[in-house]
Amino acid sequence: MSCKGSSCRCRVKVVDGGFATQLSQHVDEPVDGNPLWSARFLATHPEAIVQTHLDFLRAGANIIITNTYQASVDGFMKYLGLSENESIELIEKAVKLAKKAVDTFMSDQNGLAERPLIAGSVGPYGASLHDYSEYSGDYADRVTRRQLAEWHRPRMAALLRAGADLLAVETIPAQAEAEAVADLLRDFPAARAWIAFSCKDGERISHGERFCEAARSCWERNPRQLLAVGVNCLKPRFVAPLVASLNDGRDACPIPVVAYPNSGENFDTQLGAWVDGDNCKPVETYVRDWLSLGVCYVGGCCRTTDQDVSRIRAEVKKWQAGRAATGTAANGHA
């Protein structure tokens, strides 16, 4: 089997945690419950955005993700009263604030650390609807792929124009939307991205398609530009079976995998809140198993903090040390 993708063996990199969760430590008003979620703070609390990124960088994140998951041109026009151009500029501002955080971090490190990367968050169409349909992907049954691509286009263009190192296409619930974005990437030939699905169990993505088939389809559609495919904002216990299914039978050339689940809590759409937090195992307890299955981008999503990221990084280092001690080639270094 020949290798068609960006890399058959990628270096392990630690991704940051739940931006909105961490942001709540830097603002005095609720972050959740707004149609724009954390993206509205780009306009009102830019320094809090920078400080949130810095929290994750200081915790050991190699990649920070912009808070544009719920940002869109039409959303900023509707809820912030901005013009189309102003909305695009605000999306670009998210990258500029992340760059400011990286510059500050590198200055603190006296240039001795590897420069962290900035991933522009590209959340699903359903997140803009503010009806929790990003948890089901039902909109994919009534919105065409062309419509989905054209909705995603201006945000992706703005993030790349502002200098994002890659795009984090994340929490995608439906195969059709993921494939539309994988195809759209070709219009930005210099861009690199990962695509991460939301999943409802250890086999299927939120809309119901089998994860291994949806993820492989995206990879095969655009292996040159995709850095990885995988999962995010799902229960940690689902990650291992999903990842194992993706690379089953691909020992000669495994697909690089990204995984950054939430804390394991349940989101109650009736309450609009996370529940059952007392029943969750810490995310870091799963990390070494994921790395052994080929995950090379690993972090946390909703309800995970800078402390979780610090513990995830520690587990990555332990895993790598164990591989080195036994003479087994590791995926790389964090």
Side-chain angles (χ1 to χ4, degrees), residues 207-275:
H207 188 247
E209 300 91 343
R210 292 184 67 208
F211 165 75
C212 61
E213 294 174 359
R216 287 176 183 175
S217 174
C218 289
W219 181 257
E220 295 297 334
R221 292 175 93 92
N222 197 343
R224 185 186 69 81
Q225 291 182 269
L226 289 178
L227 297 169
V229 292
V231 294
N232 79 295
C233 208
L234 74 167
K235 293 181 183 299
R237 62 187 174 88
F238 295 152
V239 173
L242 290 163
V243 172
S245 72
L246 174 61
N247 278 317
D248 185 26
R250 296 183 62 101
D251 293 342
C253 188
I255 298 172
V257 182
V258 57
Y260 49 114
N262 57 40
S263 64
E265 297 171 57
N266 294 308
F267 187 80
D268 188 317
T269 57
Q270 299 297 318
L271 297 175
W274 294 90
V275 297

Side-chain angles (χ1 to χ4, degrees), residues 8 12 54 60 112 125 133 167 201 211 224 257 281 298 315:
C8 273
V12 175
L54 275 170
L112 298 178
Y125 175 81
S133 60
L167 297 176
D201 54 35
F211 165 75
R224 185 186 69 81
V257 182
K281 288 175 57 178
V298 60
E315 290 302 314

Side-chain angles (χ1 to χ4, degrees), residues 18-69:
F19 192 91
T21 303
Q22 190 69 28
L23 177 63
S24 64
Q25 299 184 24
H26 297 287
V27 295
D28 295 327
E29 57 188 279
V31 177
D32 295 339
N34 185 281
L36 298 176
W37 202 23
S38 69
R40 76 185 190 275
F41 292 94
L42 288 167
T44 61
H45 293 72
E47 284 306 313
I49 303 299
V50 174
Q51 289 303 313
T52 301
H53 285 313
L54 275 170
D55 289 346
F56 288 127
L57 290 169
R58 290 166 178 160
N62 303 116
I63 301 176
I64 55 172
I65 303 177
T66 62
N67 63 315
T68 49
Y69 171 85

